[in-house]
Coordinates of all heavy atoms in Angstrom, one line a residue:
E733 N -6.8 31.8 -36.1 CA -6.4 31.9 -34.7 C -5.2 31.0 -34.5 O -5.3 29.8 -34.9 CB -7.5 31.5 -33.8 CG -8.4 32.8 -33.4 CD -7.7 33.8 -32.6 OE1 -6.8 33.5 -31.9 OE2 -8.0 34.9 -32.8
G734 N -4.2 31.5 -33.9 CA -3.0 30.6 -33.6 C -2.0 30.6 -34.6 O -0.8 30.2 -34.4
E735 N -2.4 31.0 -35.9 CA -1.4 30.9 -37.0 C -1.1 32.3 -37.6 O 0.0 32.6 -38.0 CB -2.0 30.0 -38.2 CG -2.2 28.6 -37.7 CD -0.9 27.9 -37.5 OE1 0.1 28.4 -37.9 OE2 -1.0 26.8 -36.9
G736 N -2.1 33.2 -37.6 CA -1.9 34.6 -38.2 C -2.5 34.7 -39.5 O -3.4 33.9 -39.9
L737 N -2.0 35.6 -40.3 CA -2.5 35.9 -41.7 C -2.0 34.9 -42.7 O -0.8 34.6 -42.8 CB -2.1 37.3 -42.1 CG -2.7 38.5 -41.4 CD1 -2.1 39.8 -41.8 CD2 -4.2 38.5 -41.5
M738 N -2.9 34.2 -43.4 CA -2.5 33.3 -44.4 C -2.2 34.0 -45.7 O -3.0 33.9 -46.7 CB -3.7 32.3 -44.6 CG -4.0 31.4 -43.4 SD -2.7 30.3 -42.9 CE -2.0 31.1 -41.5
S739 N -1.1 34.6 -45.7 CA -0.7 35.5 -46.9 C 0.3 34.7 -47.7 O 1.0 33.7 -47.3 CB 0.0 36.8 -46.4 OG 1.2 36.5 -45.7
L740 N 0.5 35.2 -49.0 CA 1.5 34.7 -49.9 C 3.0 34.9 -49.3 O 3.9 34.1 -49.5 CB 1.5 35.2 -51.3 CG 0.2 34.8 -52.1 CD1 0.1 35.6 -53.4 CD2 0.2 33.3 -52.3
S741 N 3.1 36.0 -48.6 CA 4.4 36.3 -47.9 C 4.7 35.2 -46.9 O 5.8 34.7 -46.8 CB 4.4 37.6 -47.2 OG 5.5 37.8 -46.4
R742 N 3.7 34.8 -46.1 CA 3.9 33.7 -45.1 C 4.2 32.4 -45.9 O 5.0 31.6 -45.3 CB 2.6 33.6 -44.4 CG 2.6 32.3 -43.4 CD 1.1 32.1 -43.0 NE 1.0 30.8 -42.3 CZ 1.3 30.5 -41.1 NH1 1.6 31.5 -40.2 NH2 1.1 29.3 -40.6
A743 N 3.6 32.2 -47.0 CA 3.9 31.0 -47.7 C 5.3 30.9 -48.2 O 6.0 29.8 -48.2 CB 3.0 30.9 -48.9
F744 N 5.9 32.0 -48.5 CA 7.3 32.0 -48.9 C 8.2 31.7 -47.7 O 9.2 31.0 -47.7 CB 7.7 33.3 -49.5 CG 7.5 33.4 -51.0 CD1 6.4 34.1 -51.5 CD2 8.4 32.8 -51.9 CE1 6.3 34.2 -52.9 CE2 8.2 32.8 -53.2 CZ 7.1 33.5 -53.8
T745 N 7.9 32.3 -46.5 CA 8.5 32.0 -45.3 C 8.5 30.5 -45.0 O 9.4 29.9 -44.6 CB 8.0 32.8 -44.1 OG1 8.0 34.2 -44.5 CG2 8.8 32.6 -42.8

Side-chain angles (χ1 to χ4, degrees):
E733 273 297 327
E735 296 292 348
L737 294 174
M738 297 293 104
S739 66
L740 290 174
S741 171
R742 171 194 167 88
F744 272 104
T745 303

